Amino acid sequence: MLDYELEEDKLGMQAIPGSVTLQKDTQNLIGISIGGGAPLCPCLYIVQVFDNTPAAKEGTLESGDEIVGVSGKSVKGKTKVEVARQIQAVKGEVTINYNKLKADPKQGKTLDIVLKKIKHKFVENMSSSTADALGLSRAILCNDGLVKKLQDLERTAGMYHGLAEHTKKMMRACYDLSQTHKEIWRNMVSGT
């Protein structure tokens, strides 16, 4: 058994192992981009399968698939650059060993939702350079930043609304007090 076949905790998702052999193109490429990897991420995964490439034409590999080996050699503990070089070192045909992660739809979770939740949790407090190193979408970080900015703006709007309401009450209280003083003054002047 190769070490990439060892069972790991997949956060309650089922990992379905597989392998696909791809004939490389004239530029010695298969047409995928890789994310994750050492030292910041324990796994490597396919970020994108590019159109009109060997991987896209063959159709097995998809974004989100975990890469566990290249031509039978484990990629565990490697960086995405090392794995890309490992793929490039193989001439002609290369075999990609992968895990497809599946979630149980009966539990109300689809793989997409589960992965997005994991990704959001993962990048929530991460710098953009770290996210880039992991191959995570910067759009997620931008969206999270926009969501946080919107929440800040909503809190600020709520604060100003509260201040406006408080100011109205204070002005009403000052007016009422001035009317009371006015009546007291009238009573004192008129001698009643």
Side-chain angles (χ1 to χ4, degrees), residues 2-5 8 32 34-39 41-46 65-87 90 94-99:
L2 297 173
D3 66 344
Y4 64 79
E5 293 175 341
E8 293 181 26
I32 62 171
I34 302 169
C41 186
C43 64
L44 290 131
Y45 54 91
I46 297 173
D65 289 351
E66 179 185 14
I67 301 171
V68 294
V70 175
S71 294
K73 294 180 184 172
S74 174
V75 297
K76 190 173 183 93
K78 295 189 182 282
T79 67
K80 62 184 178 182
V81 173
E82 290 171 326
V83 174
R85 286 184 185 139
Q86 193 174 342
I87 292 170
V90 178
V94 64
T95 300
I96 304 296
N97 307 96
Y98 62 86
N99 282 330

Side-chain angles (χ1 to χ4, degrees), residues 8-139:
E8 293 181 26
D9 182 11
K10 301 293 182 193
L11 301 172
M13 294 182 279
Q14 180 184 10
I16 302 169
S19 65
V20 60
T21 301
L22 301 169
Q23 179 66 44
K24 296 173 125 188
D25 66 13
T26 56
Q27 298 174 334
N28 197 35
L29 300 173
I30 60 171
I32 62 171
S33 65
I34 302 169
L40 301 171
C41 186
C43 64
L44 290 131
Y45 54 91
I46 297 173
V47 174
Q48 184 175 3
V49 177
F50 297 103
D51 292 337
N52 299 315
T53 62
K57 290 175 185 172
E58 195 283 332
T60 300
L61 296 176
E62 299 174 306
S63 295
D65 289 351
E66 179 185 14
I67 301 171
V68 294
V70 175
S71 294
K73 294 180 184 172
S74 174
V75 297
K76 190 173 183 93
K78 295 189 182 282
T79 67
K80 62 184 178 182
V81 173
E82 290 171 326
V83 174
R85 286 184 185 139
Q86 193 174 342
I87 292 170
Q88 288 175 336
V90 178
K91 303 298 178 203
E93 285 187 345
V94 64
T95 300
I96 304 296
N97 307 96
Y98 62 86
N99 282 330
K100 288 196 179 282
L101 301 176
K102 300 292 180 191
D104 183 3
K106 292 177 189 170
Q107 296 175 355
K109 297 178 182 177
T110 67
L111 179 60
D112 185 49
I113 291 170
V114 171
L115 289 176
K116 282 181 182 175
K117 285 182 179 179
I118 292 168
K119 188 174 180 181
H120 277 282
K121 199 71 160 159
F122 200 65
V123 299
E124 197 169 38
N125 296 310
M126 187 181 291
S127 71
S128 60
S129 61
T130 302
D132 287 345
L134 295 174
L136 297 171
S137 169
R138 294 198 61 190

